[in-house]
Amino acid sequence: MTADGWLGDYRLDGLLGRGGMGEVHQAVDTRRSRAVALKVLRDDVARDPGFRERFRREAGATAGLQSPHIVPIHDFGEIDGRLFIDMRLIHGTGLDTALAHGPLPVHRAVAIVGQVAEGLAHAHEHGILHRDVKPSNILLTPADFVYLVDFGIAHRTDGSDPGLTATGMTIGTWAYLAPERFDAGPVDERSDVYSLACVLAECLLGRRPFDGTGPASLMKAHLVAEPPRPSRERPDVPAALDDVIARGMAKDPAQRFGSARELAAAAVAAISGPAPTRARPAASGLPPTTVDAAPVRRRRSRTPVLAGTTIAALVLAVGAGVGIGRMSTAPAPAETPVAAGTPSPTEPATPSTSRTTPAVPTPAPALPAADSAEPSGYTYTVDSNYPVHLIYTDARGDRVTAGETPAPWSTSFDTSAWGDDAQPSLSAFTMSSRGDTYVECTITDADGRVVANQRKETANAAVLCMSFG
């Protein structure tokens, strides 16, 4: 770096890290009196047009992304022949550092992976692949809010840029690379899903999923070795979570989850506990508010994938082996500079005791009259003190998913279009590092009878409501 510790208007206060493309410094943008993380391309590679293009691509790919789980870029460009990216300074630690102390509790591992999945899904929706998902590129704040960082080898899904470096070497970290990355096969979001499943396995095992000592042995493991099954080493890991990892790390991309959110939803379902009770909850006296969860629907799939335990059976009904489309996300908060020692503004805030009711969407199909011979409709209701992620069977009998949905939430629908194998099911997940989270789901039939109900009160709460008729 410069001898006097400056780069243009940036005062460099300390080296935060060094990677294959450059260095990241804690710095101050003196024009705006803002503490930032400043990434600067190394001098010895800045002269290589290929490396310069990759560096510019990182900035261009990431600058337009607005997920709260992706570190915002303030500015990028060139100063005195040095390429730079000015990013929000995050006060936290890498997931790799946390894993150096051993495996994580199961619920914490799933919660972290779920937040990474949100960031990845947002990038994928904008045509951007990360291609370097690994623990050292996942930052945790003291409150366990997660940021995905370093899109330095980001790749557009439209095929507009190459998958190899100028030297012909595959880029990325060997321990997390999907098999298709080794043979120049087609790369899409499922390659990132594979890497995310590797991260989930490492969170549960406390070590990388494969024990290779170099590129050749790791390549062989990714191509032919069976994925790890953490439940064989940890009795607190449900076997259903092994199946989530196995599907996420399938050798054939067509056998993997179709999206990062789908993997995260299956992981949540795998740890959601026993089947719900059927007891009627205490009436609140207030009608539920119907809000639009903005689900996106994919084709139906009735093919079981996860098998074995009671938990696995529940997973089948709420998202494993089905085509789950994109989840809508709440609009990203306005970007606010983070000064040193200031908590990130995108970290979850303490919930208010008052709520603003979202706009009511177009009503769902009306339920049949109460004197029908058989109830042919259901009402789903979810209550929580934080926004929830949802998976449920809708009026068509399809599994749909929706994310960052305000609670309380409710929807009613007719089931006349259901096939014989469709069953009412509702899964809700929310989390908070404050430990004050609660979430409750209820399914009632057309006659107002409660057919399923479950409530959880934990830091990372997930509930399942199902009825088998």
Side-chain angles (χ1 to χ4, degrees):
M1 292 310 304
T2 59
D4 58 357
W6 287 78
L7 182 66
D9 293 319
Y10 293 98
R11 188 186 73 233
L12 308 181
D13 290 343
L15 181 66
L16 295 175
R18 181 178 288 112
M21 286 179 59
E23 299 174 344
V24 180
H25 293 259
Q26 182 169 334
V28 174
D29 179 355
T30 58
R31 296 168 299 171
R32 300 176 178 86
S33 300
R34 175 170 61 192
V36 302
L38 192 70
K39 184 168 185 176
V40 184
L41 193 65
R42 291 203 329 260
D43 227 359
D44 58 329
V45 298
R47 295 182 293 273
D48 186 315
F51 277 99
R52 290 174 67 90
E53 176 58 27
R54 282 175 52 201
F55 189 86
R56 291 183 185 276
R57 188 171 69 237
E58 173 183 3
T62 312
L65 301 179
Q66 299 296 319
S67 169
H69 296 292
I70 295 175
V71 176
I73 287 180
H74 301 140
D75 194 10
F76 65 94
E78 185 172 347
I79 298 175
D80 298 332
R82 306 298 296 273
L83 297 173
F84 74 94
I85 300 178
D86 172 346
M87 301 171 287
R88 176 182 292 170
L89 179 63
I90 304 299
H91 295 278
T93 187
L95 177 58
D96 57 330
T97 301
L99 290 171
H101 301 287
L104 304 182
V106 174
H107 281 79
R108 186 185 182 204
V110 170
I112 288 171
V113 166
Q115 294 181 70
V116 177
E118 281 296 309
L120 274 178
H122 178 79
H124 294 165
E125 287 168 0
H126 288 77
I128 303 297
L129 306 181
H130 189 284
R131 301 206 310 158
D132 200 19
V133 178
K134 58 185 179 182
S136 61
N137 281 338
I138 297 168
L139 296 183
L140 311 176
T141 72
D144 254 7
F145 193 81
V146 176
Y147 291 92
L148 180 61
V149 302
D150 201 356
F151 280 72
I153 57 173
H155 176 79
R156 294 203 62 85
T157 56
D158 59 12
S160 61
D161 54 6
L164 298 176
T165 66
T167 60
M169 292 296 292
T170 305
I171 48 184
T173 299
W174 295 93
Y176 309 94
L177 289 180
E180 62 271 19
R181 297 282 301 279
F182 297 111
D183 60 5
V187 174
D188 59 22
E189 59 265 26
R190 293 170 298 183
S191 299
D192 281 346
V193 168
Y194 182 96
S195 300
L196 184 60
C198 290
V199 170
L200 176 58
E202 184 166 346
C203 287
L204 298 172
L205 292 168
R207 65 175 187 276
R208 292 175 176 175
F210 297 123
D211 295 327
T213 57
S217 57
L218 285 170
M219 180 188 299
K220 180 180 178 180
H222 285 297
L223 291 171
V224 302
E226 291 297 318
R229 301 188 67 84
S231 72
R232 294 176 178 173
E233 301 181 27
R234 292 183 57 179
D236 60 327
V237 175
L241 206 49
D242 293 342
D243 295 324
V244 173
I245 292 169
R247 185 178 175 191
M249 294 180 64
K251 310 304 182 187
D252 180 358
Q255 300 301 315
R256 295 178 202 150
F257 297 102
S259 72
R261 286 195 181 109
E262 192 176 339
L263 182 151
V268 169
I271 65 169
S272 294
T277 65
R278 293 176 178 265
R280 181 187 294 270
S284 64
L286 295 175
T289 302
T290 301
V291 299
D292 188 3
V296 175
R297 187 177 290 104
R298 292 273 182 92
R299 66 185 183 277
R300 288 184 207 180
S301 172
R302 310 294 187 200
T303 305
V305 174
L306 306 183
T309 65
T310 302
I311 293 176
L314 292 174
V315 174
L316 288 175
V318 296
V322 299
I324 299 179
R326 289 182 195 164
M327 295 194 298
S328 65
T329 55
E335 182 179 318
T336 304
V338 178
T342 304
S344 166
T346 58
E347 293 173 29
T350 303
S352 170
T353 55
S354 62
R355 297 182 185 274
T356 301
T357 302
V360 177
T362 303
L367 294 175
D371 58 358
S372 299
E374 291 291 338
S376 58
Y378 291 97
T379 296
Y380 295 156
T381 304
V382 174
D383 187 30
S384 178
N385 56 341
Y386 288 96
V388 293
H389 296 264
L390 301 171
I391 308 172
Y392 58 90
T393 307
D394 71 351
R396 299 184 185 183
D398 292 333
R399 303 277 191 263
V400 295
T401 184
E404 293 296 324
T405 304
W409 170 89
S410 181
T411 188
S412 300
F413 56 89
D414 174 58
T415 58
S416 58
W418 278 16
D420 293 338
D421 58 345
Q423 297 288 349
S425 66
L426 169 63
S427 174
F429 169 69
T430 190
M431 63 186 172
S432 167
S433 60
R434 303 176 190 278
D436 61 346
T437 308
Y438 75 84
V439 62
E440 181 173 15
C441 66
T442 304
I443 301 177
T444 55
D445 65 17
D447 288 336
R449 294 187 296 264
V450 174
V451 298
N453 170 254
Q454 189 178 57
R455 179 183 175 94
K456 290 283 184 68
E457 298 183 16
T458 60
N460 302 295
V463 292
L464 283 158
C465 283
M466 299 181 61
S467 173
F468 295 97

